[in-house]
Amino acid sequence: MRGIFTRFFKDKKAMTIGFCLGALGFIEMYVALFPSIQKQANELNKMMESFPKEFMKVFGMDSAQLMFAKLENYMSTEYFSFFWPILVTIMAISFANAICVGEIEKKTIEITLAQPISRAKILLSRYLGGALAITLFTVVSSYGILGFAFLHKIDYSLANYATVAFVGTLCGLAIFSIATFFSVLFSERGRSTMATVGILLLMYALNIISGLKDSLQNLKYVSFFHYFNAPEVFGNNRIVDWSIIVFAGTILLFLLAAVLRFQKRDISV
Amino acid sequence: MSKAVIQIKDLKKYFGKVKAVDGISFDIEKGEIFGFLGPNGAGKTTTIRCIMNFLYPTLGSISILGKDAVKDSVFLKSKIGYLPGNVSLNNNWTGKSHIEYIESIRGKSENARELAKKFDLDLSKKFKNLSSGNKQKLGLVLALMSDPEIVIMDEPTVGLDPLLQNLIYEVLEDLRKKGATILISSHNLSEVERLCDRVGIIKAGKMVTVEPVAKLEGKKLHRVEVRFSDKYQKEEFKVKGVDTIEEITGGFIFTVGGDLNPLLQKITKHKITDIEITHANLEEIFLKFYEGGPK
């Protein structure tokens, strides 16, 4: 198992480093801009307050959080609400595809399947390799903010970083588990990718729709974007109710489904 | 007690309505080289993938070393060296990385480096930078590096130059001497003729015949080439046993399954200038099966 885990992680090392550096580059840009944006906070806040309340509600924002008074509030809106979820989703789907469907397309899976190791162990070894890479990315792309804040002499709230790294890792792994399931379900990378992206877009849409009408508000509970609500998690250092259970449950459920499916499916390249 | 190392009983593999393998049965005995012959799409690779547990049989059973190929697949793979058709490995890994990867699962190999040396294979090159022949050599090293009791090769020489083909034949013959049991699928008849003890011919998912190569070559089909100096009609030679008649200048080439006498009686009614009777080669036997001739 260790050999497959190590090899998978090694193969994903360059991409992980690239994503970490990309995230750090964006963080530096955002953090460097923060002091000047902070100076204009009052004007920006006035502008935000002129937006319809429904608009602010739909996007889960409130004016108090958009005051840019704190680095964490600013980064939760600018970075963790949009850029970071895209990065972690691309990473999760890419690594998940490499576990099975990518190897089927490249016709390289037979060399591993011909070895004396169970399919469950093959999948779990690769999953753990990918999970480690995603965890490292989340930690670097969260705590990286702290480093640049220190460099630019900006105040920070240390506790918020542990919270966002923890919830962010769970969220990334939940997406990774869903993508892993589709990677073993399908034999074409395009279909596997579209299935995961489709589910995430649906979750995003449901989270927005839930804010439009009181009668629809319960829809938010099926969306990861409700549980990884960056202004709450990073800005307010608060773990949204049920989020750990929902993310952990998704990880276990989809990973189990992936293992069962991988053990039973025909693999023909 | 049966010496069979691989036993396949009534194996069926369906993909929806497509019957890729439709009820084949055969045994492979210890120490023999068994040739699995058939054109593309006949079901050779599907059968091999079922043996390797990449595909699950729809019906039937596969037993290897007395164990079930599905339930005991992990144990059995420790005994099997597998070379896929058109070896596809990880483009960015070197030969050395591939060997280390297999070693991380199977344990340290005693002979991987020796094999690479024997094949004159540079293990420091990335797979994508290897020629097709060297890719096949690497596949062969990976298949044989753990000294397997059973070797399964899917079209091992396809696309290779004659020198490399010969190298592979030598390796297979060495393995036979060591007592390994070998299954090779092929549509290269001359290699099957050269290497195999027995051959199974598969046609549209069904096993047409399983015979010792010598028996197939010697007993079932004759090739009769004859030239006449007098007048003759093609129709008069359409007698019992004649499978095909090919017209040549001044005569015919017949392929005859079974008794030669009815044809010879017709031939001797004419003035013969030349006649040659030989055992048909495997290719002609193969074509006979595929053209739906008598069996």
Side-chain angles (χ1 to χ4, degrees):
Chain A
M1 248 182 112
R2 212 174 83 182
I4 297 177
F5 163 82
T6 310
R7 189 67 240 188
F8 190 83
F9 182 69
K10 207 171 162 185
D11 284 346
K12 302 301 156 208
K13 198 171 64 183
M15 188 177 176
T16 308
I17 292 171
F19 269 68
C20 286
L21 291 176
L24 290 174
F26 271 89
I27 290 169
E28 161 59 7
M29 187 183 77
Y30 287 130
V31 174
L33 286 171
F34 179 66
S36 53
I37 287 177
Q38 200 177 27
K39 282 177 193 165
Q40 297 166 21
N42 286 337
E43 287 77 10
L44 285 167
N45 204 30
K46 275 177 196 167
M47 186 183 78
M48 296 292 184
E49 280 171 349
S50 68
F51 290 168
K53 279 182 183 173
E54 289 75 15
F55 174 86
M56 305 293 280
K57 198 179 169 187
V58 162
F59 289 96
M61 301 186 287
D62 61 69
S63 56
Q65 281 176 310
L66 290 166
M67 283 175 70
F68 305 108
K70 272 171 63 187
L71 175 68
E72 288 75 22
N73 285 341
Y74 163 74
M75 289 301 280
S76 69
T77 310
E78 296 296 322
Y79 174 69
F80 276 115
S81 291
F82 182 70
F83 185 69
W84 187 86
I86 290 175
L87 281 186
V88 84
T89 299
I90 293 171
M91 244 182 127
I93 291 175
S94 166
F95 291 175
N97 282 347
I99 289 177
C100 180
V101 73
E103 287 237 308
I104 289 175
E105 276 198 347
K106 286 191 281 180
K107 302 177 192 289
T108 52
I109 199 161
E110 281 193 345
I111 191 71
T112 304
L113 290 181
Q115 305 312 318
I117 183 165
S118 70
R119 289 192 188 186
K121 282 184 181 173
I122 293 171
L123 187 132
L124 288 173
S125 309
R126 290 181 173 172
Y127 180 87
L128 289 175
L132 176 63
I134 288 171
T135 306
L136 285 176
F137 167 75
T138 309
V139 169
V140 170
S141 61
S142 305
Y143 279 93
I145 299 171
L146 203 61
F148 289 112
F150 185 75
L151 267 179
H152 292 279
K153 298 185 173 75
I154 297 167
D155 291 339
Y156 51 82
S157 308
L158 188 60
N160 298 29
Y161 294 84
T163 308
V164 80
F166 174 63
V167 181
T169 300
L170 284 178
C171 179
L173 293 182
I175 295 169
F176 183 46
S177 292
I178 292 172
T180 299
F181 172 70
F182 287 120
S183 172
V184 300
L185 187 65
F186 294 116
S187 295
E188 293 99 38
R189 217 179 326 203
R191 291 176 72 184
S192 153
T193 302
M194 283 313 295
T196 310
V197 170
I199 283 183
L200 292 176
L201 286 176
L202 182 68
M203 285 182 176
Y204 187 73
L206 290 175
N207 194 42
I208 289 176
I209 291 167
S210 70
L212 295 175
K213 258 184 163 184
D214 285 347
S215 59
L216 299 173
Q217 66 171 341
N218 286 342
L219 287 176
K220 69 186 176 194
Y221 295 115
V222 295
S223 173
F224 284 176
F225 299 94
H226 165 70
Y227 299 104
F228 185 72
N229 179 337
E232 278 297 304
V233 176
F234 195 43
N236 297 340
N237 192 27
R238 190 180 84 82
I239 294 174
V240 175
D241 293 345
W242 291 94
S243 59
I244 295 172
I245 290 169
V246 167
F247 286 136
T250 305
I251 291 166
L252 292 176
L253 189 72
F254 277 87
L255 186 57
L256 182 66
V259 169
L260 292 176
R261 175 66 186 151
F262 191 54
Q263 280 179 315
K264 290 291 168 198
R265 73 162 289 180
D266 282 341
I267 297 179
S268 185
V269 297
Chain B
M1 197 177 141
S2 168
K3 283 184 194 168
V5 170
I6 300 176
Q7 280 185 308
I8 295 179
K9 281 186 190 160
D10 199 25
L11 177 68
K12 293 180 181 174
K13 180 62 193 174
Y14 300 163
F15 297 102
K17 288 180 182 173
V18 178
K19 295 177 175 179
V21 175
D22 193 17
I24 65 168
S25 300
F26 63 95
D27 292 353
I28 305 177
E29 290 180 5
K30 183 166 172 55
E32 80 169 334
I33 302 186
F34 186 90
F36 202 29
L37 210 58
N40 293 329
K44 301 186 301 291
T45 300
T46 302
T47 304
I48 285 178
R49 285 180 180 154
C50 287
I51 293 172
M52 291 302 298
N53 193 226
F54 301 161
L55 299 176
Y56 286 87
T58 307
L59 277 171
S61 68
I62 302 169
S63 162
I64 304 171
L65 298 168
K67 293 183 181 288
D68 186 88
V70 175
K71 286 182 195 155
D72 301 306
S73 138
V74 173
F75 167 78
L76 289 173
K77 282 172 186 170
S78 68
K79 307 286 178 191
I80 299 175
Y82 172 67
L83 177 72
N86 292 319
V87 177
S88 286
L89 298 170
N90 291 282
N91 273 327
N92 292 316
W93 297 9
T94 60
K96 187 168 171 270
S97 310
H98 279 98
I99 288 172
E100 286 169 353
Y101 178 65
I102 304 297
E103 283 181 332
S104 75
I105 302 168
R106 286 184 180 259
K108 186 82 179 163
S109 166
E110 299 291 320
N111 63 348
R113 279 98 192 150
E114 260 177 52
L115 280 167
K117 206 174 168 185
K118 182 178 175 181
F119 295 157
D120 193 23
L121 176 66
D122 182 354
L123 291 176
S124 65
K125 278 189 178 174
K126 285 187 175 176
F127 183 73
K128 65 182 173 190
N129 297 329
L130 295 176
S131 65
S132 57
N134 282 330
K135 284 178 179 174
Q136 195 76 355
K137 284 179 186 173
L138 180 57
L140 211 54
V141 170
L142 299 179
L144 305 179
M145 61 185 265
S146 54
D147 250 335
E149 277 179 45
I150 301 165
V151 177
I152 297 175
M153 296 184 170
D154 193 2
E155 298 184 5
T157 58
V158 70
L160 300 182
D161 64 53
L163 283 176
L164 193 50
Q165 284 184 16
N166 273 325
L167 181 68
I168 290 178
Y169 299 156
E170 282 169 23
V171 169
L172 289 172
E173 276 158 2
D174 280 352
L175 284 167
R176 176 175 25 203
K177 280 177 201 160
K178 287 180 189 167
T181 304
I182 301 165
L183 166 65
I184 61 167
S185 86
S186 179
H187 42 223
N188 183 337
L189 296 150
S190 59
E191 85 183 10
V192 169
E193 226 170 349
R194 172 176 169 170
L195 292 170
C196 298
D197 302 300
R198 287 192 305 143
V199 61
I201 298 181
I202 187 170
K203 176 184 179 181
K206 289 182 184 292
M207 196 63 106
V208 180
T209 188
V210 179
E211 296 275 8
V213 171
K215 196 177 169 188
L216 265 183
E217 283 175 334
K219 289 191 177 172
K220 288 220 163 172
L221 208 63
H222 287 90
R223 181 179 184 275
V224 180
E225 186 174 338
V226 61
R227 290 173 206 273
F228 307 108
S229 59
D230 59 350
K231 285 190 177 175
Y232 52 84
Q233 293 290 320
K234 187 177 177 181
E235 281 66 33
E236 63 182 295
F237 300 105
K238 289 183 177 170
V239 293
K240 194 182 172 194
V242 174
D243 293 334
T244 63
I245 306 176
E246 182 191 338
E247 283 195 71
I248 56 172
T249 313
F252 300 101
I253 296 173
F254 303 100
T255 50
V256 186
D259 190 3
L260 274 173
N261 286 302
L263 177 66
L264 291 176
Q265 282 165 9
K266 291 287 178 187
I267 288 173
T268 50
K269 286 180 182 169
H270 293 273
K271 283 188 177 176
I272 301 166
T273 56
D274 190 17
I275 185 164
E276 185 185 11
I277 303 174
T278 51
H279 288 142
N281 64 25
L282 203 51
E283 185 156 2
E284 284 159 327
I285 296 166
F286 185 72
L287 287 172
K288 178 186 152 185
F289 284 115
Y290 275 89
E291 283 166 0
K295 288 152 193 154

